[in-house]
Amino acid sequence: MDRVARCRRAARDAVADVEPSQLQAVIAETIDDASMTPAVLTVESAVAADPDADRDAVARRAAGVQLIYEGLALTRRLAHEEPWDDHRERSDLEILAADILVARGFYVLARTDAAGKAVRTVQAFGRDQSRREEPGADADALDAGLERDVAELAVLAGAAAVGATPTRAILADAGDVARGTEFPPPDRCTGVLEGGAGASPGADRREDDREPADAADSEAGPGDGGRADRATSATDP
């Protein structure tokens, strides 16, 4: 199955139970219109580290990354356009959809080694959007921080899905995938991580060039009973 189609299906499945139908329609439309580049980059990261990776399992992680991105990107658009005066009902539904997308993305990535990075991505987004309102702020650069952070999250989540850890150099390369506030088409991600996403399971790791695991990342592993990071609202300051 095509990677885009597989990831889109996984994203739809993650939010299939959302009600009422009007809200579900907004969420489904958001996913259907998404390019799925963050999700595909997640899959590319996993496959680069382990060519035999379980594609369906990785697609679920990829869906988590994509949902977080779509929720935050929708929040950013609504904050900038302020469309409530003309389309109040639609905008209210979109704000709810944005929060649900982020929350479901967190749920998918909870108790994985990407959970801490997911939390930091949302926190950085909130800080950047607050700083954007300051006099003299570089609005374009602050807005683009979301795409850079999500690209790094995608690489980390994909590698973690197969027990690997991306190098700092790979994370830096991932951050350069996006240009401004847009991602390239998904097919541009193919081969972007040539040379592997990092150490394969059990490989020797050099501490000076690996993404450091913080307490949030290391407290819980997939499927264990450890603490998961709290999923904060995309609209929290």
Side-chain angles (χ1 to χ4, degrees):
M1 179 183 294
D2 176 77
R3 291 180 182 181
V4 172
R6 190 190 299 270
C7 291
R8 200 183 306 277
R9 185 184 68 180
R12 290 194 193 109
D13 289 346
V15 294
D17 62 338
V18 173
E19 296 180 339
S21 59
Q22 297 94 325
L23 180 58
Q24 173 62 236
V26 172
I27 291 175
E29 180 182 324
T30 300
I31 294 173
D32 288 345
D33 289 344
S35 72
M36 306 306 292
T37 297
V40 171
L41 185 59
T42 305
V43 175
E44 284 291 319
S45 176
V47 173
D50 181 4
D52 297 323
D54 183 329
R55 300 308 199 260
D56 287 332
V58 173
R60 178 169 170 77
R61 301 281 186 96
V65 174
Q66 188 75 43
L67 293 175
I68 289 174
Y69 175 65
E70 296 302 329
L72 295 180
L74 179 54
T75 299
R76 181 177 61 191
R77 178 175 66 78
L78 291 170
H80 297 177
E81 294 180 0
E82 298 183 355
W84 285 272
D85 290 341
D86 297 330
H87 307 283
R88 179 77 193 207
E89 182 177 351
R90 171 73 182 193
S91 298
D92 287 345
L93 286 173
E94 287 182 331
I95 278 292
L96 289 173
D99 274 351
I100 289 170
L101 287 165
V102 174
R104 286 301 173 91
F106 268 117
Y107 179 80
V108 171
L109 296 180
R111 298 190 176 93
T112 74
D113 287 344
K117 176 63 176 178
V119 171
R120 294 193 297 275
T121 296
V122 175
Q123 291 173 336
F125 173 78
R127 287 193 300 269
D128 287 347
Q129 291 303 300
S130 295
R131 291 173 55 200
R132 191 179 187 277
E133 303 303 318
E134 297 174 358
D138 187 340
D140 291 342
L142 290 169
D143 283 344
L146 172 59
E147 279 69 23
R148 182 179 61 252
D149 286 341
V150 167
E152 293 176 0
L153 172 62
V155 170
L156 183 60
V162 295
T165 303
T167 65
R168 292 187 186 277
I170 288 292
L171 288 173
D173 288 344
D176 290 336
V177 168
R179 287 294 180 266
T181 58
E182 294 185 358
F183 281 109
D187 57 6
R188 294 277 299 277
C189 292
T190 303
V192 73
L193 300 176
E194 290 180 359
S200 59
D204 179 51
R205 299 183 179 185
R206 292 177 51 196
E207 295 300 326
D208 59 342
D209 67 353
R210 300 291 171 190
E211 170 73 355
D214 60 18
D217 291 335
S218 61
E219 281 190 49
D224 69 14
R227 178 187 63 80
D229 291 283
R230 183 179 69 89
T232 55
S233 168
T235 54
D236 285 350

